[in-house]
Amino acid sequence: MRLLLVEDDRMIGDSLRNALRQAGFAVDLVRDGRAAESTLASERFDLVLLDLGLPQRDGMDVLRATRARGDRTPVIVLTARDTLTARVRGLDAGADDYIVKPFELDELLARIRAVVRRQAGRAETTLAVGEVTLDTATRQVTLAGAPVALSAREYAVLEALMLRPGAILSRAQLEDRLYGWGEELESNAITVYVHQLRRKLGERFIHTVRGVGYYVGVPGAGSA
Ligand code: CA
């Protein structure tokens, strides 16, 4: 999953980015409100972690402008403004959840999973397509009930496909979910991960649409 982290405090921003990468997310970090707005207008993320007290433009203004454009990307507000009024304003402005600094990483990770599940309209943490199941909380994958060991990047590709069974994801869309800015990208990386996944999950689990992309499940069942 690809996250945008908006945080002007250098120490919090850097350490949170590293911790989230360790947890398996592709993370891009911007440090002011204007950069957040232009990034959100031009790139697609699965979730935004948004500080409110930001230079250039307040986080609340960024959030309102994003929603006004019709962008429904889930947003979790990260802030030190722990007053009822601030929480209510944030939620009214279109935030999906709210976490007050300082917080524990485990709590943030649980909230990220909950928001992504709600966005996908699912209450369960387990995705199932054919004989393959994937638990987004424990990152456990099984084939016909037997655990399958995947690398972090193989998992990320599989999760992206299984979150939308039937939808065709292009190589570029899959790359977006794997890499944050500044990370080295091998041109054939997605081909390699798909090949590994097929080796572990069966040749027929991931389908190729030549020149378009990949999907799992029944074609056209999901929405792109
Ligand atoms: Ca701040």
Side-chain angles (χ1 to χ4, degrees):
M1 261 194 292
R2 187 181 188 203
L3 309 186
L4 179 67
L5 171 60
V6 187
E7 172 60 77
D8 62 312
D9 182 298
R10 205 156 274 276
M11 218 160 74
I12 297 176
D14 290 348
S15 68
L16 200 50
R17 174 181 54 191
N18 295 341
L20 289 165
R21 281 186 177 161
Q22 289 271 292
F25 296 102
V27 184
D28 296 324
L29 171 61
V30 294
R31 302 185 193 269
D32 69 70
R34 223 176 278 286
E37 241 177 39
S38 61
T39 303
L40 281 167
S42 61
E43 313 219 13
R44 192 191 167 282
F45 295 89
D46 296 297
L47 185 123
V48 182
L49 299 172
L50 180 66
D51 182 31
L52 290 187
L54 291 170
Q56 309 281 346
R57 223 171 155 194
D58 191 77
M60 202 71 86
D61 294 333
V62 173
L63 179 55
R64 279 200 204 92
T66 303
R67 293 301 184 235
R69 279 191 293 108
D71 185 336
R72 309 312 310 165
T73 306
V75 173
I76 298 179
V77 162
L78 314 172
T79 185
R81 293 179 202 171
D82 182 23
T83 66
L84 180 63
T85 322
R87 284 203 297 276
V88 169
R89 277 182 61 223
L91 294 170
D92 279 349
D96 295 270
D97 203 355
Y98 211 99
I99 191 164
V100 177
K101 296 175 191 169
F103 50 81
E104 295 290 326
L105 182 66
D106 283 347
E107 185 185 355
L108 178 62
L109 294 176
R111 283 173 188 255
I112 290 173
R113 288 193 297 268
V115 164
V116 169
R117 276 202 305 280
R118 278 208 300 277
Q119 172 85 355
R122 287 175 294 108
E124 300 290 320
T125 61
T126 304
L127 310 173
V129 175
E131 289 197 306
V132 177
T133 69
L134 177 151
D135 188 323
T136 57
T138 62
R139 305 170 69 84
Q140 268 251 342
V141 172
T142 66
L143 171 63
V148 179
L150 298 182
S151 73
R153 286 179 170 180
E154 289 163 7
Y155 175 88
V157 169
L158 183 65
E159 184 189 62
L161 291 167
M162 288 186 67
L163 276 167
R164 291 192 196 162
I168 300 166
L169 297 187
S170 69
R171 198 172 295 235
Q173 285 172 315
L174 290 170
E175 283 169 355
D176 275 354
R177 282 169 179 72
L178 287 192
Y179 299 93
W181 297 326
E183 289 186 63
E184 210 44 60
L185 172 66
E186 306 257 349
S187 63
N188 64 344
I190 298 298
T191 312
V192 172
Y193 297 132
V194 167
H195 174 80
Q196 304 282 19
L197 286 166
R198 282 180 173 148
R199 212 167 46 75
K200 295 176 179 181
L201 300 173
E203 286 301 319
R204 291 168 176 279
F205 184 65
I206 296 174
H207 306 279
T208 303
V209 180
R210 202 168 291 280
V212 183
Y214 302 100
Y215 70 93
V216 296
V218 180
S223 49

